[in-house]
Structures are given as structure tokens and as C-alpha cells.
Amino acid sequence: MVDGYRGASMAASANKEVWRRGFASAAALALTLLFGALVYLVVESNDERDAAARSERQSFETIMVVRNIEESMARAEVALGRFVINGDSTPATIYRNERRAAARQIENLQRIVRDYPAQAERAERLETLYDAYGSELAAITRLTSAGRNFDALARYNSVANSRNGVAAIETLDEIADYERGLLSGRSAARIETNERARILANLLTVAGIILAIAALILAYATIRAFRQRFDADQRAEELEDAVAERTAELEALNAQLRAEVAERTAAEQKLNQAQKLEAVGQLTGGIAHDFNNMLAVVIGGLDLAKRKMAEQPDRATEHIENALEGANRAAALTRRLLTFARAEPFLPEGTDAAARIDSMADLLSRSIGERVTVAIEADSDIWPIWVDPHQLENAVLNLAVNARDAMDGKGELAIAIRNRTLSDGEAGEIAGGDYVQIAVTDTGSGMDDAVIEHVFEPFFTTKPVGKGTGLGLSQIFGFVRQSGGDVRIDSTVGEGTTVSLFLPRFDGDVVASETGDAAQPAGRLTADGLTILLVEDDQRVRRSTTAGLEELGHTVLACANGPTAIDVLAERPDIDLLLTDVVMPDMTGPELASHVAGSHPDLPVIFVTGYAREAIDGEQFSGHAILRKPFTLAALEDAIANAAPGNRRTG
């Protein structure tokens, strides 16, 4: 019985041991599975935490690189501004280094955001804008290196608001703003993953206490997790400090830039004032000398004519002719000044340059003297050009006078008119195409490169004080540029100079040129004298013009302003022609003509102008004859003949 009990007890113990072992095995398996699950969760949590930390770090790195790019661009612009103002090589070196640094940072930015399509597209756009903006800045450095500081400074001020530069800064702001928007979410994700990793690490530590091996593994994973989290937090704090430091540096740089801009503005104002004073001095000396010479001829001639009028009328006529020549020279100088100041209207028309210059042969010979031989040569079938013929004649005359002075009044002057087909950049800055070249060549002293560099600047002259205004070549340059062409100078010291005007070909018809005042025959009108309404606010000019019109056999109704002229037209329907000044108080000549057009649409109008203000649109002269002050009786007669009823020629 006892043996049976023991057997039963042993069997029960064996069963219990089996159950205990099975339970232990099951528990061990469960703990192993639980440990494995915890390990898996910890690993997954660590990967998520690492991914969140990398995303957050990527945002901080992106923002920091953006600030570095902005800082390098700002420093480059500051250095370029110093280089333009001072011409020193040190700022130029700083400018190039900062531009290269910005380019490297842009490449770094592209590497950082290459896995983010939206940001990668913005980075590519930034590189394109940065290269385009760099091309604009490179033009400034080339101008400064060539010594053209004023042109470089003007280009620098215009490039300061460049669309490429502004767009590049805006793109940088877009990239930074986008990353800031992502940063808050990424920081929250990092905190959440850190918290999850911490909980799982605690669970793993508890499991490690139950299972030694699992505890060791869990402890290792926990230590690793905490270490990684600490490193991530440390790196995040370092990035935040770096961004704050860069932001402070950028603010300081901006303050320095504003101070330098203020300093540069003050320096520019002082420089402009000095240039104005120098220009006024040069202009006053040259014009005073020329006008005094001309007035001496006019006053002396009229005084001698007054003395010889009774006893020697032939000598009196000679003195009057000399006085008229002096007055015409004064009028030509006034026209040069008005053209230079853009105060004389630009009235282009289809022009045959060869015919115009050929008709000037006598004028050129009288102007430059008998000791200078003049040769004019032109290709057959010279192309028409679209220019103001009076300004073309003035430009050629100025070049001839300059050539005479360069030859000390003795030598050979050649004027060649050629058809030229140019390629891009062959002559100055004009585009390729068909042009007419007017080349004026002398055998004078020539010019070196230092003089050629400044010859087109207003008031620049190599003549002694009082011997020139310095307006001739600058006026020629302005006329040619206004006509769509360019000027080229080829000169050798001691051998001579060739000044070439390149004027674009005109596809329209040539307007028949006028042959000059002196060639106009008297009595061109086939009808009897006309009834002319004269509007002139200056009493002396009004009296003189009235006398001239009456001398030509016309009936004159003179008034001093536009409103009075309107009243006269309302009372006198028999008026044949309106002769009006351009610049008058209350109502200008074009305003009067526009008002009269409604009630008298067929009334011819002649504008008399000596100074057309910029406020008057040159298109308002279209369709009407123009008579420039001062004018001769022959020129007045010719203008009336062209505008008279039945013989009207529109412009």
C-alpha cells in the first residue's frame, strides 16, 4: 500500500515536474517571445526616432545653408559696391571669393534637398537665378576694371533692383519658409518617438530582470537608445545655436550695408555737385567766347554799315552781310545747345545722305577755309536713312570744323559715304544689319586712347580755355544714338583721324530735300497775297515778323496769345494761313492748332519754334510745316509757299 502511495506520489511529482517544466518552458518561450517582441519594437522605435532626428537635422541644415548663401550674396554686393566706388582690388577679391562661397553653398543645398522634389526644384531655380544675377554683376566688374566707374555705378544702382537678384532672395526665403513649416512637425515627431523609445526601453529593462540575457540585451538597447537620443538633442541644440549666430551676423552685415549705402549716397552727391560746377565753368567759358566773337561781328558790322549808309552804300551792304553771317553763326550755336539739351524737336524723315552732304560742299569750304581741301565721295545708290536732316548737316559740319582744328587749318579732308552690312558688335553696340557709313577723315595730329575714351563726354575738349564748348562730339553722339546708330573713331597720333557715323538703313521713300534759304526764288506763290493770322507773344519778334510778311505782300493780323487768335478766327473767316509760335503762356502753339482744327479743318498751320520744351510732344507737329528761329525772309517765304492753300506739303 505504501509502495503504491509512493508510486502515486512519485507519479504525481513527476507529473508536476513535467507540468512545471512545461510551464517554465512555456514561460521561457513566452518571455523569449515577449523579449523578442520588445526588442523588435525598440528597434523599430529607434529607427523612427533616427528618421525623425534626421528629418529635423535636415531642416536645420537647410535653414543654415540658406542663411549662409544670403550672407555670401550680401557680402559680395557690398564688396562690389566698394570696388565700383574706390576701384581698389581688395574688394574685388572679396567679391569673387564670396561669389564662389555662395556657389558652393548652393551645391551643398542641392545635395541636402535632393530627396525632396519640391525643395530640389527650388534649389535648381535658385542656381539659375544666381547665375543670371552673377552675369549682371560681372558686367559691372568689367566696366569698373575698364575705368568706366560712372557707367559701372549707374549699372550697379539699376542691378540693385534686378529681377534675378530679387527672385533669388525670394527663392531662398521660400526654401527657408518651407523648412520652417516642416520643422515644427518634425520636432514633434522626434519628441514622440523619443518618448516611445523610452517606454519600450523601460519594458525591456523589466523583461531583462526576469531573463538575464534579455535583461542584458534590453540594457544595451536602452543605453544605446538614450545615447542616440542625447546625441540627437545635442546636435539639434548646436544647430539652433548656429542658426541664431548666423542670423545675428546677417543682421549686423545688413546694418553695415545700410551705413555704407548712406556713405556712398553722400559721396555721390558731393561728386555730382563738383561735376556740375566743372561743367558750368567749361560751358560758360566756351559759349561766352564764341558768342562774344559773334556779337563783335554783328555789332561791328552794323555800326560800320550805319556810318557808311549815306556815303558808301556798297560798303554798308558788305558790312550788313558780315553782320548777318555772325548772327547766323550765333543761331547755329544756339541750335547746337538746344540739340544737346534735347530741347529742339527731333524731326526725322527719309533722307539721302549723299545728296545732303554733297549740297553742303560750299558751306564746308567756307567754314573750314581755303587751305583745307575737301573731297566728297559716295557709293552709287546710297541707301536712304531715317534722320533729322538738319542735325545730320550739323553733325557733318561739326566733324569738318574739328578736323580743320586738328590740322591747324591746313590739310586734306575726305568725306566718304558707303553702304555697309555689319555683323553684331562690328561697330559699337549696334546690332548687325544694313547701315550707311559716313566717314570723315583728316590728316591732322590724331588722338591717343586716353583722349578717345573721353571725347564723347559733354564739355570735354582738348582746345584751350575759351576756344570751344566741348559740345560738338557729344551732340553728334546723341544725334546718332537717337537715330538708332553708333559712332566709331579710328585715330593714329601724328597721322590723322577717321570718325565714322553708322546710321541704319531706311526702307521707305526719301523726302525731297530743300536746297537752302538762299536758293529759294522770290514770289513762289501763284495766288495774290494771303491773309495771315500771326500769333507771337514777344512784341519785338511779332513786329519784325509782321514787317517781313508785309514785305512779301501779305495782309497780317497779329495777336499776342492763343485765346485772342481764336476770337479773331471766329470774326474773320477769310484767313488763309495760321503762323504761330510754339511756346507761349496760357496756350501753346500745338494746343491752339488742335483747338482750331475743329472749326477750321483746312486751315494751313506753320509752327515757328526756337525752343520746344520737352513737355510738348513732337508728334503734335506732325502734318504741319515748321520754321526754326531765327529765320531769313527767304526761309519765311518758302515756308508760306509750302503750306499755302493749293501748294501745301505735309511733314
Side-chain angles (χ1 to χ4, degrees):
M1 183 175 178
V2 173
D3 292 337
Y5 175 77
R6 285 181 177 176
S9 176
M10 290 177 62
S13 297
N15 291 333
K16 185 180 292 185
E17 185 64 21
V18 171
W19 179 84
R20 186 181 296 113
R21 289 180 179 179
F23 178 78
S25 298
L29 179 61
L31 288 175
T32 302
L33 292 176
L34 178 60
F35 178 79
L38 288 174
V39 171
Y40 176 80
L41 292 176
V42 168
V43 172
E44 285 290 320
S45 178
N46 287 342
D47 291 341
E48 292 176 0
R49 180 199 59 211
D50 292 341
R54 285 194 300 270
S55 298
E56 184 181 41
R57 185 167 57 255
Q58 186 270 335
S59 294
F60 279 118
E61 289 177 351
T62 301
I63 294 172
M64 185 175 66
V65 171
V66 165
R67 293 310 174 200
N68 287 340
I69 295 171
E70 290 179 347
E71 181 181 18
S72 295
M73 290 179 65
R75 286 179 176 169
E77 292 178 2
V78 170
L80 180 58
R82 290 178 178 171
F83 179 49
V84 171
I85 294 174
N86 301 328
D88 189 5
S89 60
T90 300
T93 301
I94 296 174
Y95 161 75
R96 289 190 292 270
N97 291 339
E98 292 298 336
R99 288 285 303 172
R100 296 190 188 102
R104 290 194 297 270
Q105 290 294 335
I106 291 175
E107 293 177 356
N108 188 26
L109 177 64
Q110 292 175 335
R111 178 187 59 78
I112 294 172
V113 301
R114 63 176 179 268
D115 296 329
Y116 303 88
Q119 291 290 69
E121 187 275 334
R122 295 186 183 98
E124 291 294 330
R125 185 169 75 247
L126 172 63
E127 182 180 22
T128 301
L129 294 172
Y130 179 81
D131 292 341
Y133 186 48
S135 298
E136 298 176 359
L137 297 179
I140 299 174
T141 61
R142 289 194 296 273
L143 291 174
T144 305
S145 299
R148 298 171 60 184
N149 292 70
F150 290 114
D151 295 340
L153 186 58
R155 182 70 64 86
Y156 181 82
N157 291 330
S158 64
V159 170
N161 295 321
S162 167
R163 293 181 58 188
N164 291 321
V166 172
I169 296 300
E170 291 176 350
T171 302
L172 285 170
D173 291 338
E174 289 178 13
I175 295 172
D177 292 341
Y178 183 85
E179 290 297 333
R180 291 191 189 96
L182 296 177
L183 186 58
S184 60
R186 290 175 174 178
S187 297
R190 178 181 60 81
I191 294 172
E192 181 180 356
T193 54
N194 283 343
E195 183 64 19
R196 185 183 304 117
R198 185 186 63 81
I199 295 173
L200 291 175
N202 292 336
L203 292 176
L204 192 59
T205 301
V206 174
I209 296 174
I210 300 173
L211 189 60
I213 298 176
L216 292 176
I217 296 175
L218 181 60
Y220 171 77
T222 302
I223 293 173
R224 180 185 174 190
F226 276 109
R227 182 62 183 175
Q228 290 177 343
R229 183 181 65 184
F230 175 79
D231 291 341
D233 291 341
Q234 189 67 25
R235 285 193 294 269
E237 291 176 0
E238 291 175 355
L239 288 174
E240 290 176 355
D241 293 340
V243 170
E245 181 180 356
R246 294 297 185 185
T247 302
E249 292 178 358
L250 184 59
E251 291 177 353
L253 184 61
N254 288 336
Q256 180 183 357
L257 180 60
R258 287 192 294 269
E260 291 182 354
V261 168
E263 180 181 355
R264 184 188 67 187
T265 302
E268 288 176 355
Q269 291 176 350
K270 292 180 181 179
L271 179 60
N272 289 337
Q273 184 66 20
Q275 290 175 335
K276 289 179 182 177
L277 293 176
E278 181 182 2
V280 169
Q282 293 177 351
L283 179 63
T284 302
I287 293 176
H289 178 271
D290 289 350
F291 262 108
N292 283 335
N293 287 343
M294 299 168 190
L295 291 176
V297 174
V298 174
I299 294 173
L302 293 178
D303 186 43
L304 290 172
K306 181 179 179 182
R307 292 174 181 268
K308 302 294 184 180
M309 185 66 70
E311 299 177 357
Q312 296 176 302
D314 293 339
R315 295 293 304 277
T317 301
E318 180 181 346
H319 292 311
I320 290 175
E321 291 293 337
N322 290 335
L324 284 173
E325 182 181 357
N328 287 332
R329 289 177 59 198
L333 178 57
T334 302
R335 181 166 297 168
R336 287 174 59 194
L337 292 170
L338 293 178
T339 301
F340 172 75
R342 301 295 188 268
E344 185 174 69
F346 184 66
L347 303 173
E349 61 185 39
T351 303
D352 184 341
R356 275 281 176 179
I357 296 174
D358 185 66
S359 68
M360 296 174 60
D362 293 338
L363 174 61
L364 292 172
S365 297
R366 292 197 306 268
S367 299
I368 63 179
E370 298 178 353
R371 296 195 303 163
V372 177
T373 59
V374 180
I376 300 176
E377 182 182 356
D379 290 344
S380 59
D381 299 327
I382 288 294
W383 296 326
I385 55 177
W386 182 254
V387 298
D388 186 324
H390 296 287
Q391 294 193 28
L392 174 63
E393 293 175 352
N394 190 41
V396 174
L397 181 59
N398 278 336
L399 292 176
V401 172
N402 285 346
R404 177 202 64 190
D405 294 340
M407 296 185 292
D408 291 330
K410 181 179 180 180
E412 298 178 358
L413 176 66
I415 302 177
I417 303 100
R418 300 279 186 263
N419 293 332
R420 292 288 303 277
T421 299
L422 304 177
S423 58
D424 291 342
E426 184 176 350
E429 300 180 359
I430 55 178
D434 292 337
Y435 293 84
V436 172
Q437 177 186 10
I438 302 173
V440 180
T441 304
D442 63 61
T443 57
S445 57
M447 297 179 288
D448 57 25
D449 293 338
V451 174
I452 294 176
E453 185 178 355
H454 298 284
V455 291
F456 294 125
E457 296 177 2
F459 314 118
F460 176 81
T461 178
T462 57
K463 299 177 183 178
V465 176
K467 295 299 183 180
T469 61
L471 295 179
L473 286 176
S474 63
Q475 178 227 337
I476 293 171
F477 182 78
F479 153 68
V480 174
R481 282 293 183 88
Q482 194 175 14
S483 302
D486 211 333
V487 184
R488 187 179 70 192
I489 296 181
D490 300 298
S491 184
T492 302
V493 176
E495 297 182 7
T497 300
T498 297
V499 180
S500 298
L501 312 182
F502 294 93
L503 297 167
R505 179 180 182 178
F506 174 56
D507 294 330
D509 298 328
V510 173
V511 177
S513 62
E514 301 173 8
T515 58
D517 297 339
Q520 301 301 330
R524 290 180 56 172
L525 298 179
T526 57
D528 295 334
L530 304 177
T531 300
I532 299 176
L533 176 59
L534 171 64
V535 187
E536 171 60 63
D537 60 316
D538 189 292
Q539 181 179 0
R540 290 169 297 182
V541 178
R542 186 169 64 250
R543 188 187 307 119
S544 173
T545 306
T546 299
L549 291 171
E550 291 176 346
E551 178 70 18
L552 295 175
H554 303 297
T555 302
V556 183
L557 302 176
C559 53
N561 53 59
T564 304
I566 293 174
D567 295 338
V568 173
L569 281 170
E571 297 175 359
R572 295 289 301 270
D574 59 331
I575 292 176
D576 299 310
L577 186 142
L578 173 63
L579 183 68
T580 176
D581 191 15
V582 173
V583 179
M584 298 183 294
D586 300 329
M587 179 181 289
T588 66
E591 290 173 348
L592 172 61
S594 178
H595 188 281
V596 169
S599 57
H600 298 74
D602 298 325
L603 180 65
V605 178
I606 299 177
F607 287 118
V608 182
T609 177
Y611 176 65
R613 297 182 185 273
E614 293 180 356
I616 300 175
D617 186 357
E619 294 182 358
Q620 299 184 50
F621 296 115
S622 178
H624 302 293
I626 297 175
L627 183 63
R628 288 180 170 89
K629 295 180 183 178
F631 52 83
T632 63
L633 198 61
L636 176 62
E637 182 181 23
D638 182 62
I640 295 173
N642 289 331
N647 194 27
R648 186 179 180 188
R649 184 181 68 195
T650 60

